[in-house]
Amino acid sequence: MATYSTNEFRAGLKIMIDADPCAIIENEFVKPGKGQAFSRVKIRNLNTGRVIERTYKSGESVEAADIIEMEVQYLYTDGEFWHFMVEDTYEQYQADKKAVSEAMKWLKDQDICTMTLWNDSPLSIVPPNFVELAITETDPGLKGDTSGGGGKPATLETGAVVRVPLFVQIGEIIKVDTRSSEYVSRVKH
Amino acid sequence: MTDVLWQPSCELKQLRQRGQMLALIRQFFADKNVLEVETPLLCHSTGTEPQLDFFSSIYDCPPNKKILFLQTSPEFAMKRLLAAGSGSIYQICKAFRNNEQGRFHNPEFTLLEWYRLEFSLDQLMDEVALLIKILLIPIFPLIRINKISYASVFFQKTALNALEYNSKAYKDYALKHDIPEAIHLCSEDHDLWLDFIFSHKIQPSLINDQIYLIYGYPASQASLARINSNDAKVADRFEVFINGIELGNGFFELADSIEQRQRFEAEIEVRKLNNRPLVEKDCRFLAALNAGLPDCCGVAIGLDRLLMLLTSSVTIDEILAFPIDRA
């Protein structure tokens, strides 16, 4: 079992806390001049996303979380699982709904995503920062309106709904920032 | 290939601030006729405090070799001077503590330590506040002083009695205040509970540009202070905090060589239990106490942290020329 000493704590390190994998966000060395030294860490629980604080005795060892991040290509979903492949090795992984979570609404086959594996099974999926998707449904805009002011909802081929300028029409492909769910531009192919 | 770490980590203006601060301190003590002294950084012995890790070094003088320690504080040597009749003295020097690095810690740091003959602890607290006021005027012109006992501040912030351990009350507090890990970490160790709760819950609340002088530490944390003559539960020890930062520690100095020897032995036992590197009692210091330490109060102030306050710095690296990773 790999462990880390509190002296190795730094932002980004993955450790096990209460049987959940967690990522350290911040580590502070706390020591009263005449007293016990502590490590006070702020951590994100990678299972629940919750951020908490936790204190360790300085020098204590904590179990490392077996967390790997890798780039994978999205293949397809069978409704229950979402399937991904490592391009170099053709190794495939299936992620459940909980792991795919919010990424679900952006996934289009062949997109390259970042997958977090815990003990070799998918824990979370992060979609590409930008995706290009076709509009399947939106109100017809007013002719000649190119201002982009106002905007309207548009449903994309993956089911995601984003606000787009009035002039954007059904069938067009748009570029969306998945971190903010915001329309970026139209894509001309 | 040039090493990018050749440059100082602080801005040059912080060097000037430090220079000014040191000049003001020397002026302060010159005006009061307190003598500036120097004592060795390399010593034949070191402190036994269970929570301190030291640096040791080899004095290589063929055919002899001997271990010397970098001081964790100039306390023993300065008390030897006091016992030899020096009168009130101060020193600005480096101290070294192994394995201490963080936002407020660098393993090598600068201490201002001074001893006042015939001062009460209260008088020394006033002098500490006065000096800090003078040094911090440029940034905190209206700084106020808040003297409060350890037990009072502890009770105010937590409703717990710091001087009497109540397992259930302490554990309930931990559960209610988001530090459940304290229950396992501190177990039934009262001093560990006090360290945990004070550093996590009380110290961060000692803010609002006030000089907090916290006196009457629990007797179990007396360190080198006398036990209070009216109340055996507390020690004649105080600490200084400003805006959540621990700045210094002062004592009505223990002068009884027998009690001092017992405290050393007790600390050595704790070090053994915790598998810490073993140290020996400083016999020259004990001999000095035996010869007679005049009644005095002493205090050590961390000058790097004072400079952090003076320059509104967030980390100690911002005010050090070459912190440990660049040293």
Side-chain angles (χ1 to χ4, degrees):
Chain A
M1 185 180 77
T3 60
Y4 294 115
S5 151
T6 59
N7 287 335
E8 297 173 277
F9 282 5
R10 58 180 189 282
L13 198 74
K14 313 292 193 302
I15 56 176
M16 294 300 296
I17 294 179
D18 303 335
D20 271 341
C22 297
I24 293 179
I25 301 170
E26 223 174 75
N27 174 38
E28 178 123 301
F29 179 71
V30 176
K31 187 182 183 306
K34 303 277 178 199
Q36 172 68 43
F38 302 102
S39 264
R40 182 82 172 149
V41 288
K42 194 185 261 183
I43 41 163
R44 172 172 287 109
N45 182 318
L46 296 174
N47 237 342
T48 64
R50 269 189 58 198
V51 173
I52 60 163
E53 289 193 304
R54 184 58 72 96
T55 295
Y56 294 91
K57 231 186 209 179
S58 211
E60 206 177 321
S61 286
V62 182
E63 190 186 342
D66 179 15
I67 293 278
I68 301 168
E69 282 184 358
M70 51 168 58
E71 305 257 280
V72 288
Q73 189 186 68
Y74 172 58
L75 299 176
Y76 66 96
T77 175
D78 55 26
E80 190 182 355
F81 292 104
W82 283 253
H83 298 263
F84 299 85
M85 181 183 75
V86 183
E87 285 190 291
D88 298 343
T89 61
Y90 304 108
E91 197 175 352
Q92 290 195 21
Y93 290 91
Q94 53 176 32
D96 63 14
K97 199 171 178 171
K98 183 165 170 271
V100 178
S101 170
E102 284 293 292
M104 189 184 299
K105 64 182 184 188
W106 305 115
L107 292 181
K108 189 180 165 193
D109 48 319
Q110 294 183 14
D111 273 354
I112 304 298
C113 304
T114 304
M115 184 168 68
T116 302
L117 289 173
W118 174 39
N119 294 337
D120 221 31
S121 57
L123 185 69
S124 66
I125 304 289
V126 178
N129 289 345
F130 298 100
V131 290
E132 296 179 356
L133 296 168
I135 295 179
T136 54
E137 213 184 305
T138 189
D139 286 341
L142 297 169
K143 268 219 167 83
D145 177 19
T146 54
S147 68
K152 59 182 180 182
T155 307
L156 309 179
E157 58 184 307
T158 54
V161 178
V162 295
R163 283 199 79 76
V164 298
L166 294 174
F167 58 80
V168 178
Q169 305 297 339
I170 291 177
E172 284 188 289
I173 294 172
I174 61 168
K175 183 174 174 180
V176 181
D177 187 328
T178 60
R179 294 161 295 186
S180 59
S181 296
E182 275 170 11
Y183 165 90
V184 178
S185 64
R186 285 193 289 185
V187 181
K188 297 202 173 78
H189 282 286
Chain B
M1 192 52 202
T2 41
D3 188 336
V4 291
L5 295 182
W6 73 266
Q7 290 184 314
S9 78
C10 71
E11 292 175 49
L12 295 180
K13 67 175 184 197
Q14 318 297 29
L15 299 181
R16 288 191 284 274
Q17 286 268 25
R18 180 182 289 264
Q20 283 166 14
M21 180 175 76
L22 295 177
L24 280 171
I25 292 169
R26 291 196 158 99
Q27 190 58 52
F28 180 86
F29 287 110
D31 291 346
K32 292 173 181 295
N33 277 321
V34 177
L35 179 69
E36 177 166 14
V37 296
E38 284 189 3
T39 56
L41 300 184
L42 274 175
C43 311
H44 84 285
S45 184
T46 188
T48 52
E49 285 171 284
Q51 310 293 359
L52 286 189
D53 288 327
F54 52 78
F55 286 89
S56 61
S57 174
I58 303 289
Y59 177 46
D60 201 351
C61 184
N64 298 315
K65 272 190 185 185
K66 108 183 182 189
I67 294 179
L68 293 177
F69 301 91
L70 282 169
Q71 66 175 7
T72 54
S73 125
E75 182 145 9
F76 297 165
M78 289 181 80
K79 284 181 180 166
R80 283 162 64 188
L81 292 182
L82 291 161
S86 67
S88 294
I89 49 174
Y90 80 97
Q91 172 160 216
I92 296 170
C93 63
K94 289 295 186 74
F96 304 83
R97 295 183 184 175
N98 217 333
N99 202 10
E100 292 192 11
Q101 190 179 5
R103 207 148 70 80
F104 298 104
H105 295 80
N106 191 61
E108 171 180 352
F109 60 101
T110 303
L111 271 183
L112 161 64
E113 182 148 327
W114 77 95
Y115 292 85
R116 292 295 238 145
L117 261 51
E118 305 297 331
F119 260 44
S120 68
L121 200 63
D122 205 51
Q123 282 176 295
L124 184 62
M125 282 197 272
D126 289 341
E127 187 164 85
V128 167
L130 178 65
L131 174 62
I132 289 179
K133 257 182 143 171
I134 291 171
L135 297 176
L136 294 185
I137 271 178
I139 184 141
F140 303 120
L142 298 174
I143 197 159
R144 284 172 298 137
I145 297 166
N146 196 336
K147 258 189 214 171
I148 183 168
S149 78
Y150 187 96
S152 302
V153 76
F154 212 91
F155 186 78
Q156 268 182 20
K157 311 281 182 191
T158 65
L160 293 171
N161 183 345
L163 303 180
E164 262 169 51
Y165 178 57
N166 178 328
S167 177
K168 184 174 182 306
Y170 278 52
K171 285 172 185 166
D172 284 349
Y173 175 84
L175 286 174
K176 270 189 214 135
H177 293 86
D178 248 12
I179 45 169
E181 67 271 33
I183 294 173
H184 171 71
L185 196 156
C186 303
S187 184
E188 301 297 329
D189 183 336
H190 187 198
D191 280 317
L192 199 45
W193 273 106
L194 294 178
D195 283 346
F196 196 119
I197 295 176
F198 197 93
S199 59
H200 285 69
K201 297 294 183 185
I202 298 172
Q203 192 176 328
S205 73
L206 304 177
I207 51 172
N208 296 328
D209 300 350
Q210 297 183 46
I211 303 173
Y212 277 92
L213 294 155
I214 313 256
Y215 60 89
Y217 269 64
S220 58
Q221 306 201 346
S223 194
L224 298 170
R226 292 191 199 195
I227 300 300
N228 188 279
S229 51
N230 298 318
D231 182 356
K233 283 185 188 158
V234 299
D236 288 333
R237 169 184 167 200
F238 71 92
E239 288 232 8
V240 198
F241 299 88
I242 299 176
N243 290 348
I245 301 178
E246 182 188 22
L247 279 180
N249 180 67
F251 302 137
F252 180 24
E253 303 294 345
L254 178 65
D256 180 336
S257 66
I258 296 169
E259 187 175 345
Q260 183 64 66
R261 182 182 295 271
Q262 286 164 349
R263 288 194 197 178
F264 278 160
E265 281 162 3
E267 287 181 340
I268 287 170
E269 283 309 308
V270 176
R271 291 188 75 93
K272 273 187 197 156
L273 272 178
N274 297 340
N275 289 319
R276 295 240 179 194
L278 291 186
V279 289
E280 288 184 13
K281 299 183 280 283
D282 186 332
C283 294
R284 287 176 191 150
F285 167 59
L286 287 171
L289 291 190
N290 216 15
L293 181 73
D295 276 355
C296 63
C297 287
V299 61
I301 302 286
L303 292 186
D304 305 299
R305 292 187 190 163
L306 204 53
L307 194 57
M308 285 177 70
L309 283 168
L310 192 57
T311 56
S312 307
S313 299
V314 177
T315 71
I316 199 166
D317 290 7
E318 289 169 53
I319 51 92
L320 293 174
F322 302 114
I324 191 73
D325 292 332
R326 289 173 189 246

